[in-house]
Amino acid sequence: MVNEKHVTRWKPEQTRSQPADPGVIWGAMKCLLWFMSMVCCAEAADDFWDLAPIRYSDTAPTDALASLAADLAAGKTKVEGETGLERLRFVLKSLQVPEDSQVLVFSKTSHQNSLIRPDNPRALYFSENVYVGYVPGGKIEAIVQDALLGPVFYLISAGDDGALEIERDLSTCISCHGTTATENVPGMQVRSVFPDGEGSPMLALGTSQVDHETPLARRWGGYYVTGRGAMPHLGNRIYQANGSVEPETSVLMDLRGTIDVSKYLRPTSDIVALMVLEHQCRMHNLLTSASMQYRRAYYLGRAMDAGVDPNNGSAGRVADWAADRIVECLFFKDEADPGENIEGGEAFQKSFTARFPKSQEGRSLADFQLYERLFKHRCSFMVYSNAFRDLPPRVKQTVLAKMHQVLAGDFPTVGWLKTSECKRISGILAETLPGW
C-alpha cells in the first residue's frame, strides 16, 4: 500500500474559541469569504489546496500508481526485475510511460541532489499523464495525475525483500513543486541554470523557468541535449563563476563517451523530448490551477450563500479567467521560434506521435514540424490528457467554447493562426476529441 508523509497544518476553517455573538461573527465571515473568493488566486501562501473541498494532503489518491501499489500489496501484480534499471522499466511499463522520452539533467536541482552530478545525471521520463525520475543509485520518483487531486508525488524504493515500497511524499516535493513557479498549485517546473563542475547551480549567474515561450538560447542549462538544434543553447555545458564555459561543447547525437550510458535505458537526452516536456509542464500547471482555483471559489461561494449559483459569481469569473490562459497556451501563444535545424531522435518522435489519435486523413495534433514551430498543427496534444479530461464541467465547457471561438477567428488575443491551420485543427478535434 502507499505510505504517506503527512504535514501538519493549521486549517483556517478551524476556529480556536467559541464566539460570544454568532450573528456578528457570521456576518464578518460572509464578508471574509466574499473577499477570499475574489482573491483566491493569491491563496497559495496558505496552501489553499489543503483546505476544503480539495484537502490535498488528507485525501487518499486513486491514481495509476496508487492502484499499482494496491495490486502489489494484494499480490495481483509482481515486480519485474531486480536491478534499479529493471525496476525502473517495470514502473514505466506499468504507468505507460515511453522509455524513448528520456532526458537527462545533471544540475543539482531536485530531491536527490547528493547523487546528481555531470557523470551521474538524473533521468526523466514522461507521458501526458505521468512524470518519472530516476538517479542511478537512488530512488525512483514519480508524479502521477489523479482525477481529484491533480499531480500526486511519490518516492519508490526497493525494500529489503526486493519488493517496491511506494511512498506518497507530501513535504519534500511540494516545497519546490507548490510555488508561484508552478502556478501556486502542486505542479511541475523546468529550470535552466548555470551548473558548475559538480552540477551545483551558480545562482549568481541567473536561472530561468522554461516553457515554450523561452528562447532556445536560454534553455537547457544543466541538461544534456542530444540532437541538432539552434545554437548556441545552454545545454551540455559546465560554467565557471565568471560565467565562462569550460569546455565549449559541440553537437552531441548521443552520450556515449560523455557518461556511462549503461546506467540508463537510452544513450540520449533528446532535444525534441525536451521541447515537448517544457510545453507540457506549463500546460499541466495551468490545467491544475484552473481546477483547484475554481473548486475552491465554488466552495466559498456556496458557503456565502447556498441559494446562489457560484457559477454566476466569483466561481464563474475564476473559470473564465482560467479558460483564457489555458486557451492561449493550448494554441501556443508566443511560442519561441526554434529555427530550422531541429533534429531529434526518430524513436521519441515515433513513440510520442503514436500515443495520440489521428483523423481519417491521418492528421494528428502530435505531428511534428520542427521548423518555425514545434508542431505542425498548433493545438496542444494536452487536450487528450487526464488533466484536461477531468477539468470541472464549468471550466471545461468554457475552454471548449473559447477554443471554438479561436478557430472561428473570434478570439481577439489569438491571432497568429492562419485560416487554413484553424480549419485543419477543427477537423482533427471534431474526429478525435470527445465532447468537441
Side-chain angles (χ1 to χ4, degrees), residues 8-28:
T8 301
R9 297 185 177 93
W10 174 71
K11 303 293 192 296
E13 53 261 290
Q14 296 173 348
T15 56
R16 296 194 177 195
S17 61
Q18 182 65 34
D21 189 338
V24 172
I25 294 298
W26 174 238

Side-chain angles (χ1 to χ4, degrees), residues 42-256:
E43 289 186 295
D46 297 322
D47 292 353
F48 79 92
W49 57 81
D50 266 340
L51 309 179
I54 302 166
R55 301 194 183 281
Y56 183 84
S57 296
D58 297 331
T59 302
T62 59
D63 57 69
L65 190 51
S67 297
L68 175 62
D71 288 345
L72 289 170
K76 296 180 180 179
T77 301
K78 293 185 178 180
V79 177
E80 300 171 4
E82 298 180 356
T83 68
L85 273 183
E86 289 171 340
R87 294 190 190 98
L88 171 63
R89 180 170 275 127
F90 168 75
V91 170
L92 294 177
K93 179 181 177 181
S94 299
L95 299 178
Q96 300 181 24
V97 177
E99 296 179 15
D100 294 316
S101 65
Q102 176 181 287
V103 297
L104 299 177
V105 55
F106 61 85
S107 62
K108 295 179 182 293
T109 49
S110 62
H111 176 64
Q112 301 182 80
N113 281 344
S114 62
L115 297 174
I116 301 170
R117 54 186 185 273
D119 65 345
N120 197 61
R122 177 177 180 240
L124 300 175
Y125 307 86
F126 63 94
S127 70
E128 69 277 14
N129 302 314
V130 177
Y131 304 83
V132 175
Y134 168 76
V135 187
K139 297 181 179 181
I140 299 172
E141 307 160 49
I143 308 174
V144 186
Q145 182 71 20
D146 182 88
L148 291 178
L149 301 178
V152 180
F153 298 79
Y154 294 93
L155 294 175
I156 306 171
S157 56
D160 294 336
D161 58 356
L164 285 185
E165 296 182 353
I166 301 175
E167 179 180 63
R168 184 181 176 191
D169 191 300
L170 288 165
S171 56
T172 306
C173 294
I174 293 295
S175 64
C176 291
H177 288 269
T179 68
T180 56
T182 62
E183 294 294 323
N184 295 321
V185 291
M188 282 60 68
Q189 61 172 313
V190 182
R191 293 175 62 193
S192 181
V193 301
F194 295 88
D196 64 16
E198 295 298 317
S200 298
M202 292 184 286
L203 298 180
L205 298 180
T207 180
S208 300
Q209 298 292 332
V210 178
D211 57 28
H212 68 243
E213 299 180 21
T214 308
L216 268 62
R218 288 170 44 201
R219 299 191 195 186
W220 309 319
Y223 286 79
Y224 285 116
V225 183
T226 59
R228 302 184 190 278
M231 292 289 286
H233 56 70
L234 302 182
N236 302 331
R237 301 184 180 199
I238 292 172
Y239 294 82
Q240 295 183 339
N242 62 5
S244 62
V245 183
E246 188 177 295
E248 284 285 349
T249 305
S250 58
V251 172
L252 297 174
M253 299 311 293
D254 65 47
L255 295 169
R256 296 180 179 92

